[in-house]
Structures are given as C-alpha cells and as structure tokens.
Amino acid sequence: MKIGRPKEVPDDHILSIARRCFLERGGSISAADIAREIGVSHTTLFNRFGSKQGLMLAALGAPKEIQWIATLESGPDNRPIREQVIEIACTISAFFEDLHAGFTVLQTSGIATGALCSEEDPEESAPARAFRALTEWIGRAQDQGKLARSDAQVLASTLLGVLHNRAFSSRICGDPDSEKTTDATYVANVVTLLWDGIKPPR
C-alpha cells in the first residue's frame, strides 16, 4: 500500500478505525496518530473529510444509513411476534448505545450540537426513515392480527423513547441501574411492560 493515495483505503475502513481511536483515546487524539493507525497520511484524511472535525463528525455522528431499516421493511415474519419485538428492540438499543458513545466524544470535544445535524432533508435522514420503518412494521403487524390496534406512531415513539433514554441515562447521567441490568434483560422488561397493551386480543 502506498501512503496517501486516496482510493487505496475505502472511506468506511478509515471511519471504522477513526471511530475506534476517538472512542478509546478521546477527541484530543491527533489526526496524524489516526492516520498512522490506518496506514495513510494525515493529508489523505483532510482531503477526504476536510478537517479533523469533519473526520470526527463522519466517524462519530449519526449514520447516513441504518442497516436494520431493511430488516423492518421486510417484516414481520412468521415467528412469534413478541420474539420479533424483543429482537428489534435489542437491535435499536445497541444502535442508541453506539450513537451516544460517539455523541459524547463530540460534545466533550466542544463540537456544537448543531454540527451533529445533517444538512440533508430531515424527512429523508436515516433516523427519520428508521422511525417510519418501525411505525410501518407495527402497522403491518396490526393488520395481520399479531398486535392489538393502537396508534402505531405513538407506539413506535414510545419504544424508541424508552430505549433512547436508557442509552442517555447510562452514558450521560451515570444511571447506576444501567450497570446492573443487561441490555437484553432491560429490553425484555420494557416489552413485558408494554405487552398487555399491544398483545393481540383473545
């Protein structure tokens, strides 16, 4: 590999290593140190991302694509619906944990909250599409008689809000209870709490 040739190393590889470096060593790590870890010159990083802040935002900010949207768009499947709700909620919980880890480094580095927001159409952002996909997944489950009728958008907001708050509380507020309960157990408890309201009628 020749150092500094931009197309030799894909962006996603650079961002994966940069994210790990920022999470492990904080925002004070130099672009030169990250470049050495990747095996490129720091000039390559600046050519790709404009600045160290640009690199941080790309590595630690909200993703442009969310992989689990496709899973929602293809379901529900034929497994027990409660099992599917728990699986989806666990995936979303892990997503929020990763998101907050990155946001914490950005905020402690003095990057303004406004810089975390994409310039794209908010309605077409990855988080907005994920919310729509979850709402539509719930709606299809209701149409199939697998969940009781309720406002699908409210239910999606409730589930996302609870899982987001878990990630926020554990990382930002230092919630001691989050250290005692695993994510899977927490998610199962949330679904159990909601289940009497969303299980299909007898």
Side-chain angles (χ1 to χ4, degrees):
M1 179 189 301
K2 293 183 179 180
I3 301 298
R5 290 179 61 185
K7 296 303 181 185
E8 295 255 346
V9 183
D11 283 356
D12 58 355
H13 181 69
I14 290 177
L15 293 176
S16 175
I17 294 177
R19 179 181 176 83
R20 174 174 57 77
C21 290
F22 285 129
L23 293 177
E24 289 176 354
R25 298 173 59 181
S28 61
I29 185 173
S30 70
D33 284 343
I34 294 173
R36 276 193 293 273
E37 186 83 14
I38 297 168
V40 300
S41 70
H42 70 279
T43 302
T44 295
L45 297 185
F46 292 148
N47 285 343
R48 300 271 192 103
F49 302 101
S51 63
K52 180 182 172 183
Q53 177 169 314
L55 176 63
M56 291 182 73
L57 287 168
L60 301 171
K64 293 184 178 179
E65 296 296 332
I66 298 176
Q67 299 303 318
W68 44 267
I69 290 178
T71 302
L72 290 172
E73 289 175 340
S74 65
D77 56 38
N78 292 324
R79 291 174 297 152
I81 196 67
R82 189 174 187 277
E83 175 184 325
Q84 294 181 64
V85 172
I86 290 176
E87 182 179 274
I88 289 168
C90 280
T91 300
I92 294 172
S93 179
F95 169 78
F96 280 138
E97 288 289 344
D98 286 344
L99 199 63
H100 272 285
F103 279 13
T104 298
V105 174
L106 290 171
Q107 290 170 338
T108 56
S109 299
I111 295 178
T113 304
L116 304 179
C117 301
S118 171
E119 294 180 357
E120 66 180 319
D121 180 355
E123 292 298 316
E124 294 306 318
S125 68
R129 288 185 284 115
F131 176 67
R132 285 200 302 271
L134 179 59
T135 301
E136 290 166 2
W137 185 94
I138 291 169
R140 288 193 297 274
Q142 291 172 339
D143 290 342
Q144 295 167 15
K146 295 176 178 178
L147 294 177
R149 282 290 172 189
S150 64
D151 187 313
Q153 193 170 46
V154 169
L155 180 54
S157 294
T158 300
L159 187 58
L160 290 173
V162 170
L163 298 175
H164 179 269
N165 184 66
R166 158 81 167 184
F168 179 86
S169 297
S170 62
R171 188 167 295 276
I172 305 298
C173 303
D175 183 357
D177 290 336
S178 67
E179 301 296 328
K180 302 174 186 175
T181 308
T182 66
D183 284 342
T185 301
Y186 180 83
V187 167
N189 288 341
V190 167
V191 173
T192 297
L193 186 64
L194 293 173
W195 188 246
D196 284 342
I198 64 174
K199 66 183 179 183
R202 292 184 179 276

